[in-house]
C-alpha cells in the first residue's frame, strides 16, 4: 500500500508562501481538484516582512509560467525595471568609486572570454562598458525594452523592483482566483505529528485542524514547522557575513516626473551598506549594517546623511536579521522555503530567486507518494545546500575585494578565518585564469554564473595575470566582440525610451500580451 501525496499545505503567506503556491499550483493544475489540492494557511495577525523589493531576471519566466500578465503586474505591484546593481564606494570609498553588476552577459560570452583582452588593453573603459551596453543604459536612465516589445520579452535583460507589500496580495488573488489554491486565514497554534515523526496536521485557532501529505514551511523567521517542530538546527553564517540589522525607509520623489533609477544602488558605509531602490511611486532606501561594529544611532545618522532632506519626518523601521540557513531544508514530509529556510543580507537580491528555484524544484520533483519522498528530499537538500554555499561565497566576494581599511568592519572582513575556503581557492585560481562559463559554475540555473563573478571582480579592480601569447590566437574574435558591443550600445542608447516614460505607458496602455 503506497501513501500518495495529494494534499500540500503551505504555512505562511508572504512572498515565499504565495510564490511557492503559484509555482506548484501552475504545474499541477491539471490534477486539481480530483487528485491534488493546495492549501495556504496564513496568520491574520503576524504581518509579512514586507521588504524585499529587488529581484532577479528569473522572475520574468516565473510570472509568465504561472500565467500572470506583465501589464497587470506593473499596474498592481508598483513595479519598475531593474537592470542590475550599481555598487558605489565599495572598492576605495572615494566619490568616484563605482561599478555596475549588469544582467546581460558579456558580448560573445560563449565564444571568447573578454577578460584577458580587456585586462591587457582596457581602451580607457570600465570592464562593464567594454563588454556590454547595460551600464550605459542605466547611466542614461533608459528602460530595457520599448512599448512595442511584447510582455516578458527584452531588448536588454531585466528583472524588477517591486512593492513587496503589494506583491504577496497580488499573487494571492491570482492563486485563489485562477489557480485553485485554497486560502485559510488562521493562526497555527500546534503542529501534530504521526507516530513515525512526520507532520500529520497543523491545528489552527480559527479553522481547526488541517491535514496534509506534504507541508511547506514559509513562516519566515519563526520557521515554525522545520525549525521549531522538527528541530532542524540553524547554521549561523554571521562569522562570514557580519550585517545583522536593517533600517528601512520609504522616501517620496521630489516630483512625479523625477527619474526612476533602473538599477539598485548599493552604497558602502562604514559598517555596512545602503540600498536604494526606485519604484514609480517612491524609493525604498535602507541601511544594512553590523551591530557589532556600529550602533543603531550611528547607522541611522549615516542613512539620513545618504538620503538628505527627503528623510526629514520619516522614521526608519528596524529589522533584526540573522545570517545563516537551516542545516537541512527538507526533513520527513516538511520542506522550508524563504526566510524559514534561511536569510542572507540582500546585497544581490538572492532571496526571491532562491524561493523561485526551490519552489520550482518542489513542483517538478513533487513526490508521487511518501515512499519516494526521502529520495526527493535528499536531492533537494544537496541542491539547496549548494546554492546557499555559492550565494554566501558571492556575497563575501564583495567584501573581500574591497581595499577599504578605514573601519574595523572592513578590516575584519579581510580576516582569513572569515573567508570560506572555496572562495579563497577561487581567488587564488583567478589570479592566473579568469572565470568563464565552463568553470565550475556548472549547475543548470546557477544563481550567480561566471559572468556575475567577472563583473564584480573586474569592477572592483581585481587583476588576473595572463600571458599575451596565451590569448593571441583569439585577438580578432575579441576585437569583433568589442566592436559589436559598441554598435549595440549606440543602437540601444538611441532607441530605448526613458524608464519613467515606459512605465507610464505600460500603466496607461499595457504591453502587447504574449
Ligand atoms: C531588510 C530586508 C531587505 C530585503 N531585500 C530583499 C531584496 O531586495 N531582494 C530579495 O530577493 N529579498 C530581499 N529580502 C528577503 C525577502 O524579503 C524575503 O525573502 C521574502 O519577503 C520572503 O519572506 P517570507 O515569505 O519567507 O517571510 P514573511 O514575509 O515573514 O512571511 C511569513 C508568513 O508566515 C506567517 N506565519 C508566521 N507564523 C504563523 C503562524 N503561527 N500561523 C500561520 N501563519 C504564520 C505570517 O503571517 C506570514 O504570512 C529582504 C529582507 C530584508 C529583511
Amino acid at each position: 500500500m503506497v501513501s500518495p501525496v495529494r494534499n500540500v499545505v503551505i504555512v505562511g503567506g508572504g512572498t515565499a508562501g504565495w510564490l511557492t503556491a503559484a509555482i506548484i499550483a501552475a504545474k499541477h493544475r491539471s490534477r486539481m481538484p480530483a487528485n491534488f489540492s493546495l492549501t495556504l494557511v496564513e496568520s491574520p495577525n503576524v504581518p509579512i516582512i514586507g521588504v524585499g523589493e529587488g529581484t532577479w531576471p528569473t522572475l520574468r519566466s516565473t510570472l509568465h509560467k504561472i500565467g500572470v500578465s506583465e501589464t497587470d503586474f506593473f499596474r498592481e505591484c508598483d513595479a519598475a525595471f531593474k537592470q542590475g546593481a550599481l555598487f558605489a564606494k565599495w572598492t576605495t570609498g572615494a566619490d568616484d568609486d563605482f561599478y555596475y553588476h549588469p544582467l546581460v552577459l558579456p558580448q560573445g560570452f560563449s565564444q571568447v572570454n573578454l577578460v584577458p583582452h580587456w585586462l591587457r588593453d582596457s581602451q580607457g573603459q570600465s570592464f562593464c562598458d567594454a563588454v556590454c551596453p547595460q551600464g550605459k543604459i542605466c547611466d542614461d536612465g533608459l528602460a530595457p525594452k520599448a512599448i512595442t516589445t511584447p510582455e516578458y520579452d527584452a531588448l536588454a535583460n531585466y528583472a524588477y523592483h517591486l512593492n513587496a507589500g503589494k506583491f504577496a496580495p497580488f499573487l494571492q488573488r491570482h492563486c485563489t482566483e485562477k489557480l485553485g489554491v485554497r486560502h485559510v486565514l488562521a493562526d497555527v497554534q500546534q503542529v501534530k505529528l504521526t507516530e513515525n515523526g512526520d507532520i500529520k496536521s497543523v491545528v489552527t485557532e480559527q479553522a481547526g485542524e488541517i491535514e496534509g501529505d506534504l507541508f511547506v514551511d514559509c513562516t519566515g523567521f519563526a520557521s515554525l514547522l522545520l525549525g521549531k517542530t522538527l528541530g532542524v538546527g540553524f547554521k549561523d553564517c554571521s562569522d562570514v557575513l557580519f550585517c545583522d540589522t536593517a533600517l528601512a525607509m520609504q522616501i517620496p520623489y521630489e516630483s512625479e516626473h523625477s527619474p526612476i533609477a533602473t538599477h539598485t544602488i548599493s552604497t558602502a558605509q562604514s559598517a555596512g551598506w545602503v540600498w536604494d531602490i526606485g519604484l514609480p511611486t517612491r524609493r525604498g532606501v535602507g541601511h544594512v549594517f553590523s551591530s557589532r561594529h556600529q550602533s543603531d544611532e550611528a547607522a541611522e545618522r549615516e542613512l539620513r546623511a545618504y538620503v538628505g532632506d527627503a528623510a526629514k519626518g520619516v522614521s526608519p523601521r528596524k529589522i533584526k536579521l540573522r545570517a545563516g540557513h537551516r542545516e537541512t531544508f527538507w526533513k520527513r514530509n516538511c520542506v522550508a522555503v524563504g526566510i524559514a529556510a534561511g536569510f542572507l543580507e540582500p546585497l544581490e537580491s538572492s532571496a526571491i530567486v532562491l524561493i523561485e528555484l526551490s519552489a520550482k524544484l518542489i513542483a517538478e520533483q513533487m513526490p508521487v507518494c511518501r515512499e519516494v519522498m526521502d529520495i526527493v528530499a535528499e536531492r533537494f537538500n544537496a541542491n539547496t545546500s549548494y546554492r546557499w554555499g555559492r550565494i554566501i561565497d558571492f556575497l563575501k566576494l564583495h567584501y573581500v575585494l574591497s581595499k577599504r581599511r578605514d573601519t574595523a568592519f572592513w578590516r575584519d572582513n579581510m580576516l582569513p578565518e572569515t573567508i570560506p575556503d572555496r572562495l579563497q581557492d577561487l581567488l587564488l585560481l583567478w589570479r592566473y585564469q579568469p572565470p568563464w562559463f565552463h568553470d565550475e559554475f556548472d549547475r543548470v540555473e546557477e544563481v550567480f554564473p561566471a559572468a556575475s563573478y567577472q563583473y564584480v571582480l573586474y569592477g572592483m579592480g581585481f587583476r588576473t595575470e595572463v600571458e599575451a601569447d596565451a590569448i593571441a590566437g583569439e585577438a580578432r574574435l575579441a576585437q569583433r566582440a568589442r566592436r559589436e558591443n559598441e554598435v549595440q550600445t549606440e543602437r540601444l542608447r538611441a532607441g530605448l525610451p526613458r524608464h519613467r516614460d515606459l512605465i507610464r505607458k505600460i500603466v496607461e496602455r499595457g504591453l502587447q500580451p504574449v
Side-chain angles (χ1 to χ4, degrees):
M1 266 261 296
V2 294
S3 320
V5 174
R6 291 215 177 109
N7 301 310
V8 176
V9 177
I10 297 174
V11 183
T15 300
W18 285 112
L19 255 184
T20 304
I23 291 168
I24 296 178
K27 175 85 184 154
H28 293 271
R29 188 79 183 101
S30 58
R31 297 170 62 200
M32 290 156 91
N35 285 314
F36 194 79
S37 79
L38 193 52
T39 304
L40 187 142
V41 188
E42 173 189 13
S43 162
N45 300 307
V46 182
I48 64 170
I49 190 124
V51 277
E53 314 206 307
T55 66
W56 206 237
T58 45
L59 192 59
R60 267 163 55 208
S61 58
T62 296
L63 293 180
H64 190 195
K65 274 202 189 123
I66 64 173
V68 160
S69 132
E70 194 177 31
T71 300
D72 290 348
F73 168 69
F74 269 90
R75 286 179 179 152
E76 294 180 40
C77 298
D78 259 352
F81 291 100
K82 169 183 168 180
Q83 297 185 71
L86 180 137
F87 290 90
K89 303 192 177 191
W90 276 81
T91 310
T92 61
D95 286 339
D96 63 352
D97 161 21
F98 70 88
Y99 72 96
Y100 280 105
H101 173 192
L103 301 178
V104 296
L105 291 177
Q107 190 74 37
F109 192 62
S110 56
Q111 283 108 47
V112 60
N113 188 350
L114 288 177
V115 169
H117 301 274
W118 173 81
L119 283 169
R120 294 202 74 79
D121 180 11
S122 72
Q123 297 171 20
Q125 285 181 306
S126 68
F127 176 69
C128 175
D129 287 348
V131 304
C132 85
Q134 205 148 30
K136 289 291 180 211
I137 298 174
C138 291
D139 283 344
D140 293 353
L142 302 176
K145 67 198 279 179
I147 192 69
T148 47
T149 320
E151 287 200 334
Y152 299 116
D153 274 3
L155 298 176
N157 196 18
Y158 67 86
Y160 308 102
H161 288 141
L162 53 83
N163 182 330
K166 294 188 175 178
F167 189 44
F170 172 74
L171 291 170
Q172 176 197 314
R173 286 192 293 281
H174 184 70
C175 282
T176 52
E177 289 167 15
K178 306 262 171 64
L179 297 176
V181 177
R182 185 164 79 103
H183 183 200
V184 178
L185 265 178
D187 289 283
V188 172
Q189 290 183 315
Q190 191 197 345
V191 181
K192 282 194 181 165
L193 302 182
T194 61
E195 272 176 11
N196 71 2
D198 278 8
I199 294 179
K200 175 174 172 281
S201 62
V202 289
V203 183
T204 69
E205 190 185 337
Q206 299 89 338
E209 188 168 348
I210 300 168
E211 294 196 347
D213 304 316
L214 173 67
F215 288 83
V216 188
D217 185 348
C218 295
T219 58
F221 283 113
S223 194
L224 191 64
L225 307 187
L226 191 78
K228 290 215 177 87
T229 306
L230 296 183
V232 173
F234 187 80
K235 194 164 179 296
D236 193 287
C237 300
S238 57
D239 53 336
V240 178
L241 297 168
F242 306 154
C243 291
D244 61 2
T245 314
L247 297 174
M249 284 178 162
Q250 296 185 352
I251 303 295
Y253 285 109
E254 256 175 41
S255 96
E256 58 180 312
H257 306 294
S258 299
I260 308 167
T262 181
H263 48 277
T264 304
I265 302 164
S266 159
T267 307
Q269 306 293 320
S270 58
W273 53 278
V274 164
W275 82 79
D276 189 342
I277 285 181
L279 301 185
T281 48
R282 60 154 171 89
R283 284 156 62 205
V285 184
H287 189 181
V288 178
F289 63 98
S290 160
S291 68
R292 278 177 284 165
H293 295 89
Q294 189 172 49
S295 67
D296 290 0
E297 295 71 30
E300 185 171 336
R301 273 198 301 279
E302 284 191 349
L303 177 60
R304 290 188 179 282
Y306 173 88
V307 178
D309 285 348
K312 279 197 184 128
V314 183
S315 302
R317 174 183 158 208
K318 180 176 164 182
I319 306 166
K320 277 310 279 177
L321 314 171
R322 194 177 174 207
H325 55 81
R326 293 285 143 194
E327 276 158 3
T328 191
F329 306 95
W330 191 326
K331 183 176 176 187
R332 308 207 68 92
N333 64 339
C334 173
V335 53
V337 178
I339 297 178
F343 181 86
L344 297 172
E345 61 185 81
L347 184 57
E348 285 278 9
S349 304
S350 51
I352 295 174
V353 54
L354 204 51
I355 293 169
E356 295 171 71
L357 293 172
S358 300
K360 209 171 140 209
L361 202 55
I362 298 168
E364 278 167 12
Q365 297 273 311
M366 180 63 66
V368 171
C369 56
R370 178 64 185 89
E371 286 70 14
V372 297
M373 195 182 283
D374 294 346
I375 303 169
V376 174
E378 202 175 316
R379 281 191 197 172
F380 182 92
N381 286 330
N383 200 306
T384 311
S385 293
Y386 171 85
R387 285 194 171 131
W388 280 93
R390 297 302 68 77
I391 295 171
I392 292 167
D393 286 351
F394 189 63
L395 299 186
K396 183 68 175 182
L397 180 75
H398 296 66
Y399 292 101
V400 172
L401 294 177
S402 179
K403 297 181 178 67
R404 289 185 66 150
R405 302 289 179 267
D406 48 316
T407 61
F409 174 80
W410 294 99
R411 290 190 295 273
D412 290 352
N413 258 297
M414 294 306 295
L415 296 172
E417 62 271 26
T418 74
I419 307 171
D421 291 346
R422 182 178 178 279
L423 180 59
Q424 297 203 28
D425 286 351
L426 287 171
L427 285 165
L428 177 61
L429 180 69
W430 292 334
R431 275 166 51 190
Y432 304 98
Q433 65 180 67
W436 197 21
F437 80 104
H438 61 251
D439 264 52
E440 61 176 71
F441 307 98
D442 56 357
R443 297 272 170 132
V444 180
E445 297 184 317
E446 189 76 54
V447 177
F448 298 111
S452 289
Y453 280 83
Q454 289 192 349
Y455 285 122
V456 174
L457 283 164
Y458 304 106
M460 294 189 74
F462 187 82
R463 301 301 293 180
T464 301
E465 304 301 328
V466 182
E467 301 287 334
D469 53 3
I471 55 167
E474 55 189 36
R476 284 180 57 192
L477 210 53
Q479 269 168 15
R480 199 172 71 208
R482 286 187 72 166
R483 259 200 320 275
E484 278 168 5
N485 176 50
E486 279 165 20
V487 172
Q488 206 190 1
T489 304
E490 282 319 303
R491 193 168 45 79
L492 287 168
R493 290 178 86 177
L496 288 170
R498 299 203 71 74
H499 188 202
R500 186 178 280 285
D501 293 345
L502 179 62
I503 292 176
R504 190 176 296 129
K505 278 190 189 159
I506 293 173
V507 171
E508 284 169 10
R509 293 193 227 157
L511 286 160
Q512 203 181 305
V514 273

